[in-house]
């Protein structure tokens, strides 16, 4: 169980059931006057099938933590464990293999897709990079991916500019699912979408998690969204983890003053549409 010492969160060691675990993650960047520490001693664990929400204002270090979990950014200190094993260096062959299991859905659905590639090329790219053709055949797998995110096969020969923002984010999700990962980082995946469209995408992510047994790290600044989607929530302030616990409990009875400020500053969102 997590504990609080002196008002700051301290993570107890995770049990063997954790799919992903961060231990003492720290990231510093050099500056003319020294170094800037953007993430400071962050620890948490995510069991299989759980959604952990990582919240905080812009600049709190949320996305840096996510990128360290995926070895897109190397930590200055600390370790990341996947299925109980420490992640190898980013350049290693073993890490290349693990990337099949760990994927990310980026915030901006417009910037995340190559405008010169048709959808079928976008969805085939993970298979080409990893030299792993789909066992059921490429076209069958691509149609399956599109159906899983609520699109039909007519999308395959179209370009990204022919789709709405919500449809583009569905294509991004389909690409992230191509190699059948077990862990997804969702980096503010609906913040660039209209509220109603974003709610539909959130419900899609919930359905996919149940159907495919996925584990999520959901990054957001919206406490209502976190309360709806997440099992637990971790709150970051200026690079440090200041509160973590059950999502409903943290949202309804926050222990930290910053968490209370974050909740007060977030407008209530309409309820997500029923599925």
């Amino acid at each position: 169980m997590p504990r609080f010492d002196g008002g700051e969160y301290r993570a107890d060691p995770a049990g063997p059931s954790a799919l992903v675990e961060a231990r003492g993650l720290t990231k510093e960047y050099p500056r003319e006057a020294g170094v800037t520490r953007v993430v400071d001693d962050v620890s948490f664990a995510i069991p299989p099938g759980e959604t952990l929400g990582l919240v905080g204002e812009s600049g709190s270090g949320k996305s840096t933590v996510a990128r360290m979990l995926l070895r897109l950014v190397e930590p200055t200190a600390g370790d990341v464990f996947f299925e109980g094993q420490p992640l190898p260096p980013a350049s290693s062959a073993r890490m290349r293999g693990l990337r099949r299991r760990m994927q990310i859905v980026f915030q901006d659905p417009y910037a995340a897709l190559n405008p010169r590639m048709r959808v079928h090329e976008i969805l085939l790219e993970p298979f080409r990079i990893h030299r792993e053709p789909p066992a059921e055949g490429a076209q069958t797998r691509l149609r399956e991916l599109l159906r899983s995110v609520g699109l039909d096969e007519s999308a395959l020969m179209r370009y990204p500019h022919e789709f709405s923002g919500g449809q583009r984010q569905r294509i991004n999700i389909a690409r992230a699912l191509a190699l059948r990962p077990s862990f997804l980082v969702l980096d503010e995946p609906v913040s660039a979408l209209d509220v109603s469209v974003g709610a539909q995408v959130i419900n899609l992510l919930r359905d996919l998690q149940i159907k495919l047994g996925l584990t999520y790290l959901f990054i957001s600044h919206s406490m209502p969204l976190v309360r709806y989607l997440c099992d637990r929530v971790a709150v970051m302030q200026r690079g440090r983890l200041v509160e973590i616990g059950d999502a409903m409990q943290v949202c309804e009875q926050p222990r930290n003053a910053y968490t209370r400020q974050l909740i007060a500053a977030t407008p209530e969102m309409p309820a997500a549409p029923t599925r």
Side-chain angles (χ1 to χ4, degrees):
M1 295 292 292
R3 62 184 186 272
F4 290 82
D5 296 327
E8 294 182 350
Y9 169 72
R10 294 290 182 266
D12 287 325
S17 62
L19 179 71
V20 180
E21 183 187 357
R23 295 185 190 173
L25 285 183
T26 298
K27 183 62 182 178
E28 297 176 342
Y29 289 102
R31 296 289 185 266
E32 290 184 4
V35 296
T36 298
R37 181 169 290 189
V38 296
V39 176
D40 188 3
D41 193 24
V42 167
S43 300
F44 57 79
I46 314 176
E50 183 181 271
T51 300
L52 175 67
L54 190 60
V55 301
E57 61 192 344
S58 297
S60 61
K62 306 184 301 294
S63 293
T64 302
V65 168
R67 282 157 174 75
M68 286 193 285
L69 288 183
L70 300 175
R71 274 292 191 265
L72 299 177
V73 171
E74 290 289 341
T76 304
D79 296 290
V80 177
F81 292 78
F82 186 76
E83 295 182 331
Q85 300 297 316
L87 287 189
S91 59
S92 69
R94 182 167 166 259
M95 188 64 225
R96 181 184 177 91
L98 284 173
R99 291 199 188 283
R100 298 180 179 91
R101 309 279 311 283
M102 310 167 73
Q103 294 290 315
I104 185 169
V105 177
F106 292 102
Q107 176 179 359
D108 188 346
Y110 300 92
L113 299 176
N114 187 331
R116 299 188 179 188
M117 296 174 70
R118 298 179 189 268
V119 169
H120 81 94
E121 296 173 294
I122 290 170
L123 296 183
L124 278 175
E125 196 170 26
F127 300 104
R128 291 172 177 161
I129 290 172
H130 289 276
R131 301 174 186 175
E132 186 179 296
E136 65 270 61
Q139 292 307 307
T140 298
R141 179 61 177 152
L142 298 193
R143 289 193 292 268
E144 178 185 88
L145 284 168
L146 287 176
R147 284 195 300 269
S148 73
V149 298
L151 299 174
D152 61 53
E153 63 183 275
S154 66
L156 287 172
M157 298 308 295
R158 294 161 64 187
Y159 289 96
H161 74 268
E162 300 178 70
F163 297 93
S164 67
Q167 290 171 325
R168 293 187 202 193
Q169 196 61 301
R170 289 171 185 263
I171 294 167
N172 281 316
I173 294 168
R175 178 177 58 186
L177 296 175
L179 297 174
R180 295 185 170 94
S182 53
F183 175 57
L184 286 187
V185 170
L186 307 170
D187 192 356
E188 302 204 45
V190 298
S191 63
L193 305 177
D194 292 341
V195 170
S196 60
V197 175
Q200 294 169 17
V201 171
I202 290 296
N203 274 329
L204 170 65
L205 290 168
R206 287 188 66 174
D207 291 339
L208 289 169
Q209 182 175 38
I210 294 168
K211 179 180 179 181
L212 303 176
L214 297 168
T215 303
Y216 291 154
L217 177 70
F218 180 71
I219 300 172
S220 181
H221 57 268
S222 169
M223 297 301 285
L225 267 184
V226 166
R227 183 175 57 195
Y228 178 75
L229 182 65
C230 300
D231 300 292
R232 292 187 304 136
V233 57
V235 182
M236 289 192 68
Q237 180 186 24
R238 298 177 183 173
R240 296 188 65 86
L241 207 58
V242 296
E243 185 164 359
I244 189 168
D246 175 81
M248 189 64 68
Q249 181 178 353
V250 170
C251 290
E252 299 294 337
Q253 297 177 322
R255 298 179 58 174
N256 185 273
Y258 174 74
T259 307
R260 292 193 289 271
Q261 293 171 10
L262 196 64
I263 293 170
T266 306
E268 278 294 324
M269 295 182 62
T274 56
R275 291 170 284 163

mmCIF file with all atom_site columns, all heavy atoms in Angstrom, residues 72-94:
data_model
loop_
_atom_site.group_PDB
_atom_site.id
_atom_site.type_symbol
_atom_site.label_atom_id
_atom_site.label_alt_id
_atom_site.label_comp_id
_atom_site.label_asym_id
_atom_site.label_entity_id
_atom_site.label_seq_id
_atom_site.pdbx_PDB_ins_code
_atom_site.Cartn_x
_atom_site.Cartn_y
_atom_site.Cartn_z
_atom_site.occupancy
_atom_site.B_iso_or_equiv
_atom_site.pdbx_formal_charge
_atom_site.auth_seq_id
_atom_site.auth_comp_id
_atom_site.auth_asym_id
_atom_site.auth_atom_id
_atom_site.pdbx_PDB_model_num
ATOM 1   N N   . LEU A 1 72 ? 11.726 5.980   -24.592 1.00 0.00 ? 72 LEU A N   1
ATOM 2   C CA  . LEU A 1 72 ? 11.872 7.018   -25.602 1.00 0.00 ? 72 LEU A CA  1
ATOM 3   C C   . LEU A 1 72 ? 12.763 8.134   -25.074 1.00 0.00 ? 72 LEU A C   1
ATOM 4   O O   . LEU A 1 72 ? 13.338 8.901   -25.849 1.00 0.00 ? 72 LEU A O   1
ATOM 5   C CB  . LEU A 1 72 ? 10.499 7.578   -25.995 1.00 0.00 ? 72 LEU A CB  1
ATOM 6   C CG  . LEU A 1 72 ? 9.520  6.569   -26.592 1.00 0.00 ? 72 LEU A CG  1
ATOM 7   C CD1 . LEU A 1 72 ? 8.174  7.229   -26.858 1.00 0.00 ? 72 LEU A CD1 1
ATOM 8   C CD2 . LEU A 1 72 ? 10.082 5.959   -27.874 1.00 0.00 ? 72 LEU A CD2 1
ATOM 9   N N   . VAL A 1 73 ? 12.844 8.238   -23.750 1.00 0.00 ? 73 VAL A N   1
ATOM 10  C CA  . VAL A 1 73 ? 13.748 9.145   -23.050 1.00 0.00 ? 73 VAL A CA  1
ATOM 11  C C   . VAL A 1 73 ? 14.462 8.328   -21.991 1.00 0.00 ? 73 VAL A C   1
ATOM 12  O O   . VAL A 1 73 ? 13.828 7.573   -21.252 1.00 0.00 ? 73 VAL A O   1
ATOM 13  C CB  . VAL A 1 73 ? 12.979 10.320  -22.401 1.00 0.00 ? 73 VAL A CB  1
ATOM 14  C CG1 . VAL A 1 73 ? 13.888 11.134  -21.499 1.00 0.00 ? 73 VAL A CG1 1
ATOM 15  C CG2 . VAL A 1 73 ? 12.342 11.204  -23.458 1.00 0.00 ? 73 VAL A CG2 1
ATOM 16  N N   . GLU A 1 74 ? 15.787 8.453   -21.921 1.00 0.00 ? 74 GLU A N   1
ATOM 17  C CA  . GLU A 1 74 ? 16.553 7.723   -20.918 1.00 0.00 ? 74 GLU A CA  1
ATOM 18  C C   . GLU A 1 74 ? 16.507 8.467   -19.583 1.00 0.00 ? 74 GLU A C   1
ATOM 19  O O   . GLU A 1 74 ? 16.720 9.686   -19.538 1.00 0.00 ? 74 GLU A O   1
ATOM 20  C CB  . GLU A 1 74 ? 18.006 7.573   -21.361 1.00 0.00 ? 74 GLU A CB  1
ATOM 21  C CG  . GLU A 1 74 ? 18.196 6.619   -22.540 1.00 0.00 ? 74 GLU A CG  1
ATOM 22  C CD  . GLU A 1 74 ? 17.981 5.163   -22.150 1.00 0.00 ? 74 GLU A CD  1
ATOM 23  O OE1 . GLU A 1 74 ? 18.038 4.846   -20.938 1.00 0.00 ? 74 GLU A OE1 1
ATOM 24  O OE2 . GLU A 1 74 ? 17.742 4.343   -23.052 1.00 0.00 ? 74 GLU A OE2 1
ATOM 25  N N   . PRO A 1 75 ? 16.205 7.785   -18.489 1.00 0.00 ? 75 PRO A N   1
ATOM 26  C CA  . PRO A 1 75 ? 16.198 8.464   -17.190 1.00 0.00 ? 75 PRO A CA  1
ATOM 27  C C   . PRO A 1 75 ? 17.606 8.818   -16.718 1.00 0.00 ? 75 PRO A C   1
ATOM 28  O O   . PRO A 1 75 ? 18.571 8.114   -17.039 1.00 0.00 ? 75 PRO A O   1
ATOM 29  C CB  . PRO A 1 75 ? 15.560 7.419   -16.266 1.00 0.00 ? 75 PRO A CB  1
ATOM 30  C CG  . PRO A 1 75 ? 15.834 6.106   -16.912 1.00 0.00 ? 75 PRO A CG  1
ATOM 31  C CD  . PRO A 1 75 ? 15.847 6.360   -18.391 1.00 0.00 ? 75 PRO A CD  1
ATOM 32  N N   . THR A 1 76 ? 17.705 9.905   -15.988 1.00 0.00 ? 76 THR A N   1
ATOM 33  C CA  . THR A 1 76 ? 18.968 10.253  -15.344 1.00 0.00 ? 76 THR A CA  1
ATOM 34  C C   . THR A 1 76 ? 19.265 9.286   -14.208 1.00 0.00 ? 76 THR A C   1
ATOM 35  O O   . THR A 1 76 ? 20.421 8.915   -13.956 1.00 0.00 ? 76 THR A O   1
ATOM 36  C CB  . THR A 1 76 ? 18.899 11.697  -14.807 1.00 0.00 ? 76 THR A CB  1
ATOM 37  O OG1 . THR A 1 76 ? 18.559 12.580  -15.879 1.00 0.00 ? 76 THR A OG1 1
ATOM 38  C CG2 . THR A 1 76 ? 20.223 12.119  -14.208 1.00 0.00 ? 76 THR A CG2 1
ATOM 39  N N   . ALA A 1 77 ? 18.211 8.880   -13.516 1.00 0.00 ? 77 ALA A N   1
ATOM 40  C CA  . ALA A 1 77 ? 18.330 7.901   -12.428 1.00 0.00 ? 77 ALA A CA  1
ATOM 41  C C   . ALA A 1 77 ? 17.019 7.138   -12.342 1.00 0.00 ? 77 ALA A C   1
ATOM 42  O O   . ALA A 1 77 ? 15.980 7.582   -12.831 1.00 0.00 ? 77 ALA A O   1
ATOM 43  C CB  . ALA A 1 77 ? 18.642 8.591   -11.099 1.00 0.00 ? 77 ALA A CB  1
ATOM 44  N N   . GLY A 1 78 ? 17.075 5.973   -11.700 1.00 0.00 ? 78 GLY A N   1
ATOM 45  C CA  . GLY A 1 78 ? 15.877 5.172   -11.526 1.00 0.00 ? 78 GLY A CA  1
ATOM 46  C C   . GLY A 1 78 ? 15.777 4.060   -12.561 1.00 0.00 ? 78 GLY A C   1
ATOM 47  O O   . GLY A 1 78 ? 16.582 3.971   -13.496 1.00 0.00 ? 78 GLY A O   1
ATOM 48  N N   . ASP A 1 79 ? 14.773 3.215   -12.383 1.00 0.00 ? 79 ASP A N   1
ATOM 49  C CA  . ASP A 1 79 ? 14.602 2.043   -13.239 1.00 0.00 ? 79 ASP A CA  1
ATOM 50  C C   . ASP A 1 79 ? 13.147 1.860   -13.620 1.00 0.00 ? 79 ASP A C   1
ATOM 51  O O   . ASP A 1 79 ? 12.238 2.274   -12.905 1.00 0.00 ? 79 ASP A O   1
ATOM 52  C CB  . ASP A 1 79 ? 15.075 0.776   -12.510 1.00 0.00 ? 79 ASP A CB  1
ATOM 53  C CG  . ASP A 1 79 ? 16.569 0.807   -12.208 1.00 0.00 ? 79 ASP A CG  1
ATOM 54  O OD1 . ASP A 1 79 ? 17.358 0.708   -13.158 1.00 0.00 ? 79 ASP A OD1 1
ATOM 55  O OD2 . ASP A 1 79 ? 16.927 0.960   -11.023 1.00 0.00 ? 79 ASP A OD2 1
ATOM 56  N N   . VAL A 1 80 ? 12.960 1.201   -14.769 1.00 0.00 ? 80 VAL A N   1
ATOM 57  C CA  . VAL A 1 80 ? 11.633 0.788   -15.222 1.00 0.00 ? 80 VAL A CA  1
ATOM 58  C C   . VAL A 1 80 ? 11.651 -0.724  -15.364 1.00 0.00 ? 80 VAL A C   1
ATOM 59  O O   . VAL A 1 80 ? 12.590 -1.292  -15.943 1.00 0.00 ? 80 VAL A O   1
ATOM 60  C CB  . VAL A 1 80 ? 11.262 1.446   -16.569 1.00 0.00 ? 80 VAL A CB  1
ATOM 61  C CG1 . VAL A 1 80 ? 9.903  0.930   -17.053 1.00 0.00 ? 80 VAL A CG1 1
ATOM 62  C CG2 . VAL A 1 80 ? 11.245 2.960   -16.447 1.00 0.00 ? 80 VAL A CG2 1
ATOM 63  N N   . PHE A 1 81 ? 10.602 -1.372  -14.846 1.00 0.00 ? 81 PHE A N   1
ATOM 64  C CA  . PHE A 1 81 ? 10.478 -2.821  -14.937 1.00 0.00 ? 81 PHE A CA  1
ATOM 65  C C   . PHE A 1 81 ? 9.225  -3.165  -15.732 1.00 0.00 ? 81 PHE A C   1
ATOM 66  O O   . PHE A 1 81 ? 8.172  -2.537  -15.560 1.00 0.00 ? 81 PHE A O   1
ATOM 67  C CB  . PHE A 1 81 ? 10.392 -3.442  -13.547 1.00 0.00 ? 81 PHE A CB  1
ATOM 68  C CG  . PHE A 1 81 ? 11.660 -3.333  -12.749 1.00 0.00 ? 81 PHE A CG  1
ATOM 69  C CD1 . PHE A 1 81 ? 11.998 -2.141  -12.127 1.00 0.00 ? 81 PHE A CD1 1
ATOM 70  C CD2 . PHE A 1 81 ? 12.521 -4.408  -12.647 1.00 0.00 ? 81 PHE A CD2 1
ATOM 71  C CE1 . PHE A 1 81 ? 13.172 -2.025  -11.399 1.00 0.00 ? 81 PHE A CE1 1
ATOM 72  C CE2 . PHE A 1 81 ? 13.699 -4.307  -11.915 1.00 0.00 ? 81 PHE A CE2 1
ATOM 73  C CZ  . PHE A 1 81 ? 14.028 -3.112  -11.296 1.00 0.00 ? 81 PHE A CZ  1
ATOM 74  N N   . PHE A 1 82 ? 9.359  -4.157  -16.603 1.00 0.00 ? 82 PHE A N   1
ATOM 75  C CA  . PHE A 1 82 ? 8.231  -4.656  -17.382 1.00 0.00 ? 82 PHE A CA  1
ATOM 76  C C   . PHE A 1 82 ? 8.135  -6.153  -17.151 1.00 0.00 ? 82 PHE A C   1
ATOM 77  O O   . PHE A 1 82 ? 9.092  -6.877  -17.396 1.00 0.00 ? 82 PHE A O   1
ATOM 78  C CB  . PHE A 1 82 ? 8.420  -4.348  -18.867 1.00 0.00 ? 82 PHE A CB  1
ATOM 79  C CG  . PHE A 1 82 ? 7.234  -4.704  -19.721 1.00 0.00 ? 82 PHE A CG  1
ATOM 80  C CD1 . PHE A 1 82 ? 6.104  -3.908  -19.730 1.00 0.00 ? 82 PHE A CD1 1
ATOM 81  C CD2 . PHE A 1 82 ? 7.249  -5.848  -20.514 1.00 0.00 ? 82 PHE A CD2 1
ATOM 82  C CE1 . PHE A 1 82 ? 5.004  -4.231  -20.510 1.00 0.00 ? 82 PHE A CE1 1
ATOM 83  C CE2 . PHE A 1 82 ? 6.157  -6.179  -21.302 1.00 0.00 ? 82 PHE A CE2 1
ATOM 84  C CZ  . PHE A 1 82 ? 5.031  -5.369  -21.302 1.00 0.00 ? 82 PHE A CZ  1
ATOM 85  N N   . GLU A 1 83 ? 7.002  -6.577  -16.631 1.00 0.00 ? 83 GLU A N   1
ATOM 86  C CA  . GLU A 1 83 ? 6.805  -7.981  -16.254 1.00 0.00 ? 83 GLU A CA  1
ATOM 87  C C   . GLU A 1 83 ? 7.912  -8.469  -15.312 1.00 0.00 ? 83 GLU A C   1
ATOM 88  O O   . GLU A 1 83 ? 8.402  -9.590  -15.422 1.00 0.00 ? 83 GLU A O   1
ATOM 89  C CB  . GLU A 1 83 ? 6.708  -8.877  -17.488 1.00 0.00 ? 83 GLU A CB  1
ATOM 90  C CG  . GLU A 1 83 ? 5.476  -8.572  -18.335 1.00 0.00 ? 83 GLU A CG  1
ATOM 91  C CD  . GLU A 1 83 ? 5.346  -9.479  -19.534 1.00 0.00 ? 83 GLU A CD  1
ATOM 92  O OE1 . GLU A 1 83 ? 6.397  -9.956  -20.048 1.00 0.00 ? 83 GLU A OE1 1
ATOM 93  O OE2 . GLU A 1 83 ? 4.206  -9.724  -19.973 1.00 0.00 ? 83 GLU A OE2 1
ATOM 94  N N   . GLY A 1 84 ? 8.311  -7.586  -14.392 1.00 0.00 ? 84 GLY A N   1
ATOM 95  C CA  . GLY A 1 84 ? 9.287  -7.945  -13.373 1.00 0.00 ? 84 GLY A CA  1
ATOM 96  C C   . GLY A 1 84 ? 10.729 -7.864  -13.798 1.00 0.00 ? 84 GLY A C   1
ATOM 97  O O   . GLY A 1 84 ? 11.633 -8.054  -12.972 1.00 0.00 ? 84 GLY A O   1
ATOM 98  N N   . GLN A 1 85 ? 10.999 -7.534  -15.070 1.00 0.00 ? 85 GLN A N   1
ATOM 99  C CA  . GLN A 1 85 ? 12.365 -7.462  -15.572 1.00 0.00 ? 85 GLN A CA  1
ATOM 100 C C   . GLN A 1 85 ? 12.727 -6.020  -15.917 1.00 0.00 ? 85 GLN A C   1
ATOM 101 O O   . GLN A 1 85 ? 11.903 -5.292  -16.484 1.00 0.00 ? 85 GLN A O   1
ATOM 102 C CB  . GLN A 1 85 ? 12.536 -8.341  -16.828 1.00 0.00 ? 85 GLN A CB  1
ATOM 103 C CG  . GLN A 1 85 ? 12.249 -9.807  -16.597 1.00 0.00 ? 85 GLN A CG  1
ATOM 104 C CD  . GLN A 1 85 ? 13.209 -10.429 -15.604 1.00 0.00 ? 85 GLN A CD  1
ATOM 105 O OE1 . GLN A 1 85 ? 14.416 -10.194 -15.671 1.00 0.00 ? 85 GLN A OE1 1
ATOM 106 N NE2 . GLN A 1 85 ? 12.681 -11.221 -14.668 1.00 0.00 ? 85 GLN A NE2 1
ATOM 107 N N   . PRO A 1 86 ? 13.957 -5.583  -15.567 1.00 0.00 ? 86 PRO A N   1
ATOM 108 C CA  . PRO A 1 86 ? 14.346 -4.206  -15.905 1.00 0.00 ? 86 PRO A CA  1
ATOM 109 C C   . PRO A 1 86 ? 14.431 -4.009  -17.408 1.00 0.00 ? 86 PRO A C   1
ATOM 110 O O   . PRO A 1 86 ? 14.876 -4.904  -18.133 1.00 0.00 ? 86 PRO A O   1
ATOM 111 C CB  . PRO A 1 86 ? 15.723 -4.054  -15.241 1.00 0.00 ? 86 PRO A CB  1
ATOM 112 C CG  . PRO A 1 86 ? 16.231 -5.440  -15.075 1.00 0.00 ? 86 PRO A CG  1
ATOM 113 C CD  . PRO A 1 86 ? 15.036 -6.316  -14.868 1.00 0.00 ? 86 PRO A CD  1
ATOM 114 N N   . LEU A 1 87 ? 13.994 -2.843  -17.861 1.00 0.00 ? 87 LEU A N   1
ATOM 115 C CA  . LEU A 1 87 ? 14.086 -2.549  -19.288 1.00 0.00 ? 87 LEU A CA  1
ATOM 116 C C   . LEU A 1 87 ? 15.546 -2.403  -19.696 1.00 0.00 ? 87 LEU A C   1
ATOM 117 O O   . LEU A 1 87 ? 16.333 -1.738  -19.011 1.00 0.00 ? 87 LEU A O   1
ATOM 118 C CB  . LEU A 1 87 ? 13.346 -1.258  -19.636 1.00 0.00 ? 87 LEU A CB  1
ATOM 119 C CG  . LEU A 1 87 ? 11.815 -1.295  -19.634 1.00 0.00 ? 87 LEU A CG  1
ATOM 120 C CD1 . LEU A 1 87 ? 11.280 0.003   -20.204 1.00 0.00 ? 87 LEU A CD1 1
ATOM 121 C CD2 . LEU A 1 87 ? 11.262 -2.478  -20.401 1.00 0.00 ? 87 LEU A CD2 1
ATOM 122 N N   . PRO A 1 88 ? 15.921 -2.995  -20.828 1.00 0.00 ? 88 PRO A N   1
ATOM 123 C CA  . PRO A 1 88 ? 17.287 -2.847  -21.325 1.00 0.00 ? 88 PRO A CA  1
ATOM 124 C C   . PRO A 1 88 ? 17.483 -1.482  -21.986 1.00 0.00 ? 88 PRO A C   1
ATOM 125 O O   . PRO A 1 88 ? 16.515 -0.719  -22.146 1.00 0.00 ? 88 PRO A O   1
ATOM 126 C CB  . PRO A 1 88 ? 17.401 -3.978  -22.352 1.00 0.00 ? 88 PRO A CB  1
ATOM 127 C CG  . PRO A 1 88 ? 16.004 -4.160  -22.852 1.00 0.00 ? 88 PRO A CG  1
ATOM 128 C CD  . PRO A 1 88 ? 15.106 -3.877  -21.672 1.00 0.00 ? 88 PRO A CD  1
ATOM 129 N N   . PRO A 1 89 ? 18.712 -1.142  -22.384 1.00 0.00 ? 89 PRO A N   1
ATOM 130 C CA  . PRO A 1 89 ? 18.944 0.132   -23.081 1.00 0.00 ? 89 PRO A CA  1
ATOM 131 C C   . PRO A 1 89 ? 18.100 0.244   -24.348 1.00 0.00 ? 89 PRO A C   1
ATOM 132 O O   . PRO A 1 89 ? 17.745 -0.769  -24.971 1.00 0.00 ? 89 PRO A O   1
ATOM 133 C CB  . PRO A 1 89 ? 20.440 0.081   -23.413 1.00 0.00 ? 89 PRO A CB  1
ATOM 134 C CG  . PRO A 1 89 ? 21.019 -0.859  -22.407 1.00 0.00 ? 89 PRO A CG  1
ATOM 135 C CD  . PRO A 1 89 ? 19.958 -1.881  -22.138 1.00 0.00 ? 89 PRO A CD  1
ATOM 136 N N   . ALA A 1 90 ? 17.785 1.482   -24.730 1.00 0.00 ? 90 ALA A N   1
ATOM 137 C CA  . ALA A 1 90 ? 16.904 1.718   -25.866 1.00 0.00 ? 90 ALA A CA  1
ATOM 138 C C   . ALA A 1 90 ? 17.436 1.121   -27.160 1.00 0.00 ? 90 ALA A C   1
ATOM 139 O O   . ALA A 1 90 ? 16.668 0.719   -28.033 1.00 0.00 ? 90 ALA A O   1
ATOM 140 C CB  . ALA A 1 90 ? 16.682 3.219   -26.035 1.00 0.00 ? 90 ALA A CB  1
ATOM 141 N N   . SER A 1 91 ? 18.755 1.061   -27.311 1.00 0.00 ? 91 SER A N   1
ATOM 142 C CA  . SER A 1 91 ? 19.355 0.600   -28.567 1.00 0.00 ? 91 SER A CA  1
ATOM 143 C C   . SER A 1 91 ? 19.495 -0.918  -28.654 1.00 0.00 ? 91 SER A C   1
ATOM 144 O O   . SER A 1 91 ? 19.905 -1.443  -29.691 1.00 0.00 ? 91 SER A O   1
ATOM 145 C CB  . SER A 1 91 ? 20.734 1.236   -28.748 1.00 0.00 ? 91 SER A CB  1
ATOM 146 O OG  . SER A 1 91 ? 21.583 0.894   -27.654 1.00 0.00 ? 91 SER A OG  1
ATOM 147 N N   . SER A 1 92 ? 19.149 -1.635  -27.590 1.00 0.00 ? 92 SER A N   1
ATOM 148 C CA  . SER A 1 92 ? 19.383 -3.076  -27.565 1.00 0.00 ? 92 SER A CA  1
ATOM 149 C C   . SER A 1 92 ? 18.337 -3.834  -28.380 1.00 0.00 ? 92 SER A C   1
ATOM 150 O O   . SER A 1 92 ? 17.203 -3.383  -28.556 1.00 0.00 ? 92 SER A O   1
ATOM 151 C CB  . SER A 1 92 ? 19.391 -3.591  -26.128 1.00 0.00 ? 92 SER A CB  1
ATOM 152 O OG  . SER A 1 92 ? 18.086 -3.510  -25.577 1.00 0.00 ? 92 SER A OG  1
ATOM 153 N N   . ALA A 1 93 ? 18.719 -5.018  -28.844 1.00 0.00 ? 93 ALA A N   1
ATOM 154 C CA  . ALA A 1 93 ? 17.793 -5.858  -29.605 1.00 0.00 ? 93 ALA A CA  1
ATOM 155 C C   . ALA A 1 93 ? 16.618 -6.297  -28.732 1.00 0.00 ? 93 ALA A C   1
ATOM 156 O O   . ALA A 1 93 ? 15.486 -6.411  -29.210 1.00 0.00 ? 93 ALA A O   1
ATOM 157 C CB  . ALA A 1 93 ? 18.544 -7.078  -30.149 1.00 0.00 ? 93 ALA A CB  1
ATOM 158 N N   . ARG A 1 94 ? 16.885 -6.535  -27.451 1.00 0.00 ? 94 ARG A N   1
ATOM 159 C CA  . ARG A 1 94 ? 15.804 -6.955  -26.554 1.00 0.00 ? 94 ARG A CA  1
ATOM 160 C C   . ARG A 1 94 ? 14.769 -5.849  -26.393 1.00 0.00 ? 94 ARG A C   1
ATOM 161 O O   . ARG A 1 94 ? 13.564 -6.115  -26.349 1.00 0.00 ? 94 ARG A O   1
ATOM 162 C CB  . ARG A 1 94 ? 16.379 -7.354  -25.194 1.00 0.00 ? 94 ARG A CB  1
ATOM 163 C CG  . ARG A 1 94 ? 15.317 -7.837  -24.225 1.00 0.00 ? 94 ARG A CG  1
ATOM 164 C CD  . ARG A 1 94 ? 15.915 -8.526  -23.008 1.00 0.00 ? 94 ARG A CD  1
ATOM 165 N NE  . ARG A 1 94 ? 14.908 -8.663  -21.974 1.00 0.00 ? 94 ARG A NE  1
ATOM 166 C CZ  . ARG A 1 94 ? 14.809 -7.879  -20.917 1.00 0.00 ? 94 ARG A CZ  1
ATOM 167 N NH1 . ARG A 1 94 ? 15.695 -6.894  -20.733 1.00 0.00 ? 94 ARG A NH1 1
ATOM 168 N NH2 . ARG A 1 94 ? 13.862 -8.065  -20.021 1.00 0.00 ? 94 ARG A NH2 1
#
